[in-house]
Amino acid sequence: MSDENQVELEARLEEQEVFEPSEEFVAQANVSDPDIYEEFEENWPQSWERAAEMIDWDESYDEVLDDSNPPFYKWFTGGKLNASYNCVDRHVENGDKNRVAIKWEGEHGETRTYTYQDLYREVNEFAAALRAQGVEEDDVVTLYMPMVPELPIAMLACARIGAPHSVVFAGFSAEALATRMNSADSRCLVTCDGYYRRGDALDHLDKANEGLDGVDHGVDSVVVVDRLGEDGFDHELRGNQHDWDDLMAEHAGERVEPVERDAEDMLFLMYTSGTTGQPKGVKHTTGGYLSYATWTSHAVLDIEKEDTYWCSADIGWITGHSYIVYGPLALGTTTVMYEGTPDFPNRDRLWDIIEKYAVDIFYTAPTAIRAFMKWGSRFPEQHDLSSLRLLGTVGEPINPRAWKWYYKHIGNEECPVVDTWWQTETGGMMVTTLPGVCDMKPGSAGPPLPGIDAQIVDTSGTEVDAGRAGYLTVNKPWPGMLRTLYKNDERFVQEYWQEYSDVNSDDSDDWVYFPEDGAKVDDDGYITVLGRVDDVINVSGHRLGTMEIESAIVGVEGVAEAAVVGANHELKGEAVYAYVITEDGAEGGEELRGRIIEGVEDAIGPIARPEEVVFTPELPKTRSGKIMRRLLEDVANGEELGNTSTLRNPEIVDTIARQVEQQRN
Ligand code: PRX
């Protein structure tokens, strides 16, 4: 991290205000004993049994942690269980069959309610349908679906038969779908005809079909949910494509015994962006992941089965996996799902849903909170939000002003706010306050959770003093951690462990996980996460690799070279800035700009759409030819330029800065 960067980051963290949870909240909290931190530490790793005990095992595990071959850790070894049984059957068996499991609201206001008994029936029938389609244990099933109830049903059906799912966010492009299906060698796809966005019906099957055309191997079976009914797009289903409802009717009333899975068997794959152009297939397992998602839902989100809980994320991302589906359903609570956007038909839509369902716990992203703040407090004020007990945020740093707005205008200064730091790879929350134990400091996520050993270090791996910016590291394994990158152990070690570990050691104490985030810690041990330190940018809480976007841009005819950086953005947190050199060095015009944007949308999806495309005759490069991204970030942020003396072509930076200035005016 550069000196200027450090000074700037440190300035953001001057004197912090402290907020205490109310006595009323603490009195009812699932976890309220501060000794929990010590208990976890003293008895580590046995203390993790507390998480494992939250779920039902067909066969108990022999050992909590097998750390004999770091960083390939194994948790709850020898244990056998089924995730679908834990999220569905056990609640039916325990007298909660009539409790609502999923409350779904479509964008147009239609609702669907699934009790645990309904969920049990649907999951069983779809599990039978998948089997009949030839899906076997350990086959990867791709789910390319919007926020419809059939998505969690399909996930749980996969879990039931031991077929790992790979959910691809519906906003991703056809090409992104094909890349992920190819990488996972996935031969079965569950998708949807379309969905509603801001009132319009969107064609999804068209994109899915285009993606299927890009799959290199044979695809045996495609299941299509009919979401749009009469608003549909008149698609003819292809030979291997089946209508969801037809299959469900064929398998009506069938029951499928949950397959006994080993604790370390894969539950799902989730692709995420990294520093290279290829997305990484993060592998999560059944025992450790499910225990961890359930434990953190209990301890941090304070979920009880009587609650109505709402996480407004999309299930296409890890947040939705852990905290819409697996954690909440394992706890037997009511989880709310909403199909649409927060501003349709009006900017009070989310508050309307909270009032309508009397939501107790609400978990969302800072990017959404910044938008709510901009729209103004009059929208939440139109609704009775007094059912709320706890608020949460995830996905990116939250600035103290947005935190306080959320605390005041949504939580009425009565609900604790948990700012939860974690990643696709960690499976669940890692750094955040326990709401029944800790005070809150806006802008700072909080201490590492009990049992999590995190530190802030410098480049040499030495712990930095409180108040200094450094790199966040995790020194001990935890049950929810990724086990590897799918079929790529080498890249797993390289990406997450190499930086701070002694890679030749087989002593687990010598292995340190590096999440690639900058952070600092205060005197009370509260960690403030400052953002990514690799070439990954965080747009509206979504992780995008600059390399992926660059390779999409250089694939556009007429483009010779491109550099992509993230720049500050009021609502999105960061926005994509693309600096582009045309093939003949000529000025790029509107037409090329349009094709570049289209190229990025085609390769990745609209979330990666560049905010600005800046044409330049050259990129600032060091004498060894490396692009100086830091300078491009400064230019995009309109900041004073850092040191240009090491550049081969220092004059180009001013040219680019003028160009950006012009484009903005
Ligand atoms: O940079 C951190 C940021 O989001 C990254 C993880 O992104 P992803 O794997 O897509 O998962 C997002 C949802 C868990 C992290 O490396 N991040 C996530 N939560 C926070 C955060 N940054 C600051 N504060 C947070 N609470």
Side-chain angles (χ1 to χ4, degrees):
M1 196 172 297
S2 72
D3 286 351
E4 310 124 63
N5 207 4
Q6 176 143 344
V7 170
E8 172 202 317
L9 298 170
E10 284 171 13
R12 265 175 44 196
L13 297 158
E14 291 154 10
E15 274 305 288
Q16 272 178 319
E17 280 176 83
V18 176
F19 293 76
E20 284 175 25
S22 68
E23 280 175 24
E24 202 186 336
F25 182 88
V26 174
Q28 64 75 56
N30 284 342
V31 177
S32 57
D33 183 356
D35 290 345
I36 188 170
Y37 289 94
E38 229 172 273
E39 284 165 21
F40 256 89
E41 201 172 324
E42 279 170 7
N43 197 22
W44 198 96
Q46 260 55 41
S47 36
W48 281 114
E49 290 202 67
R50 201 192 271 249
E53 281 161 8
M54 306 213 68
I55 57 178
D56 285 354
W57 298 78
D58 298 341
E59 236 175 77
S60 184
Y61 44 86
D62 310 315
E63 206 182 2
V64 171
L65 169 66
D66 172 358
D67 60 0
S68 59
N69 181 27
F72 300 96
Y73 297 98
K74 293 179 181 162
W75 285 88
F76 310 123
T77 53
K80 306 268 187 241
L81 75 163
N82 183 283
S84 156
Y85 174 84
N86 272 282
C87 293
V88 188
D89 305 40
R90 66 167 175 165
H91 308 308
V92 173
E93 291 169 9
N94 294 343
D96 282 316
K97 69 180 165 65
N98 294 326
R99 190 182 294 286
V100 175
I102 297 175
K103 266 258 170 234
W104 175 83
E105 175 150 325
E107 206 187 60
H108 286 295
E110 68 273 51
T111 57
R112 273 152 77 181
T113 301
Y114 294 82
T115 62
Y116 276 95
Q117 180 68 38
D118 296 332
L119 193 59
Y120 175 77
R121 191 190 58 242
E122 303 261 335
V123 168
N124 270 284
E125 288 171 357
F126 196 61
L130 283 175
R131 275 229 176 116
Q133 294 300 307
V135 177
E136 292 179 4
E137 195 172 347
D138 294 321
D139 289 348
V140 176
V141 177
T142 302
L143 310 177
Y144 184 46
M145 297 163 87
M147 286 289 280
V148 289
E150 287 83 354
L151 174 53
I153 290 167
M155 289 163 80
L156 294 166
C158 287
R160 196 167 192 88
I161 60 171
H165 52 72
S166 161
V167 180
V168 178
F169 173 56
F172 274 140
S173 66
E175 202 176 315
L177 170 67
T179 310
R180 285 155 181 76
M181 287 188 75
N182 284 328
S183 160
D185 193 24
S186 176
R187 288 161 192 276
C188 177
L189 173 72
V190 185
T191 187
C192 192
D193 64 340
Y195 54 102
Y196 294 99
R197 262 298 169 280
R198 295 208 166 81
D200 295 329
L202 295 190
D203 192 338
H204 188 62
L205 187 54
D206 195 37
K207 228 169 38 159
N209 279 335
E210 198 188 319
L212 285 165
D213 293 338
V215 176
D216 302 331
H217 51 262
V219 173
D220 302 327
S221 171
V222 178
V223 183
V224 184
V225 172
D226 176 4
R227 158 72 188 113
L228 296 176
E230 289 178 357
D231 291 342
F233 291 88
D234 273 344
H235 288 289
E236 285 271 324
L237 292 188
R238 298 177 178 182
N240 63 351
Q241 299 189 331
H242 310 269
D243 175 73
W244 171 288
D245 292 329
D246 291 349
L247 288 185
M248 292 297 265
E250 253 172 60
H251 297 278
E254 286 182 30
R255 296 288 172 263
V256 173
E257 198 51 33
V259 168
E260 221 174 58
R261 296 285 278 172
D262 188 273
E264 282 296 309
D265 279 343
M266 174 158 55
L267 178 61
F268 66 85
L269 263 182
M270 169 109 250
Y271 282 87
T272 188
S273 295
T275 36
T276 72
Q278 271 309 76
K280 307 184 275 196
V282 169
K283 174 182 164 181
H284 281 295
T285 55
T286 312
Y289 169 83
L290 188 65
S291 306
Y292 199 71
T294 310
W295 158 249
T296 47
S297 296
H298 165 84
V300 181
L301 293 172
D302 200 47
I303 293 176
E304 290 170 51
K305 62 181 184 183
E306 294 76 16
D307 287 328
T308 298
Y309 157 83
W310 185 19
C311 166
S312 71
D314 191 293
I315 296 177
W317 306 96
I318 190 72
T319 304
H321 280 52
S322 303
Y323 300 115
I324 296 177
V325 183
Y326 286 110
L329 292 178
L331 290 174
T333 197
T334 300
T335 186
V336 175
M337 275 179 78
Y338 169 54
E339 176 188 40
T341 58
D343 54 355
F344 187 86
N346 295 307
R347 288 175 167 180
D348 68 337
R349 185 62 186 271
L350 302 196
W351 321 127
D352 181 59
I353 294 176
I354 289 179
E355 178 173 8
K356 183 161 148 196
Y357 300 123
V359 169
D360 298 272
I361 301 160
F362 180 58
Y363 190 34
T364 193
T367 183
I369 298 170
R370 289 191 297 267
F372 306 148
M373 209 165 99
K374 194 167 177 204
W375 297 341
S377 55
R378 67 178 192 282
F379 294 105
E381 278 159 13
Q382 291 161 11
H383 294 276
D384 177 4
L385 305 180
S386 62
S387 59
L388 288 168
R389 178 171 94 243
L390 177 75
L391 300 173
T393 74
V394 56
E396 51 178 325
I398 179 161
N399 49 312
R401 205 161 80 84
W403 191 102
K404 284 188 238 168
W405 187 91
Y406 192 38
Y407 182 69
K408 180 166 183 220
H409 294 284
I410 308 306
N412 194 28
E413 301 182 350
E414 284 164 358
C415 306
V417 175
V418 286
D419 168 359
T420 62
W421 176 86
W422 58 293
Q423 309 180 294
T424 304
E425 292 86 344
T426 69
M429 301 157 178
M430 299 286 281
V431 176
T432 181
T433 50
L434 283 173
V437 175
C438 307
D439 290 346
M440 298 156 271
K441 301 184 186 188
S444 170
L449 281 173
I452 300 298
D453 181 0
Q455 255 187 354
I456 315 301
V457 301
D458 63 18
T459 39
S460 70
T462 313
E463 191 167 5
V464 300
D465 293 336
R468 302 281 299 171
Y471 303 98
L472 180 59
T473 54
V474 185
N475 302 304
K476 283 199 178 101
W478 64 100
M481 67 196 301
L482 79 165
R483 295 305 192 264
T484 191
L485 292 177
Y486 192 55
K487 293 189 179 157
N488 204 340
D489 290 348
E490 202 180 314
R491 189 172 173 201
F492 169 63
V493 175
Q494 224 171 41
E495 294 256 351
Y496 304 106
W497 303 91
Q498 194 149 276
E499 198 83 22
Y500 292 108
S501 310
D502 173 0
V503 291
N504 296 315
S505 169
D506 55 15
D507 181 350
S508 128
D509 288 344
D510 294 329
W511 286 82
V512 175
Y513 174 80
F514 180 41
E516 311 231 33
D517 271 329
K520 66 182 283 170
V521 62
D522 71 8
D523 290 326
D524 300 324
Y526 276 51
I527 292 174
T528 295
V529 178
L530 303 165
R532 304 286 302 191
V533 294
D534 55 2
D535 291 332
V536 166
I537 55 184
N538 191 325
V539 179
S540 303
H542 299 317
R543 199 204 288 195
L544 300 170
T546 51
M547 280 279 286
E548 272 173 84
I549 308 175
E550 282 167 12
S551 70
I553 296 176
V554 295
V556 172
E557 209 185 310
V559 172
E561 202 178 342
V564 163
V565 297
N568 298 333
H569 188 278
E570 192 192 350
L571 294 179
K572 298 177 184 171
E574 281 189 287
V576 174
Y577 267 64
Y579 297 90
V580 175
I581 304 180
T582 59
E583 245 167 11
D584 52 3
E587 259 191 38
E590 276 315 304
E591 190 268 338
L592 181 55
R593 190 185 311 270
R595 282 196 290 116
I596 287 171
I597 290 174
E598 207 179 290
V600 173
E601 291 193 349
D602 284 351
I604 304 166
I607 42 164
R609 184 190 166 94
E611 185 78 13
E612 298 268 6
V613 177
V614 181
F615 292 107
T616 169
E618 277 175 72
L619 290 166
K621 286 189 179 161
T622 60
R623 295 203 171 86
S624 61
K626 209 172 160 265
I627 297 171
M628 288 273 278
R629 288 164 187 285
R630 175 88 202 120
L631 285 172
L632 292 172
E633 279 167 21
D634 288 346
V635 168
N637 287 327
E639 277 166 12
E640 202 147 304
L641 299 177
N643 187 357
T644 56
S645 64
T646 54
L647 287 184
R648 194 171 59 191
N649 52 352
E651 66 296 337
I652 195 65
V653 187
D654 285 327
T655 314
I656 299 176
R658 272 199 306 276
Q659 176 97 11
V660 171
E661 188 70 18
Q662 253 173 27
Q663 257 172 249
R664 289 220 174 109
N665 293 332

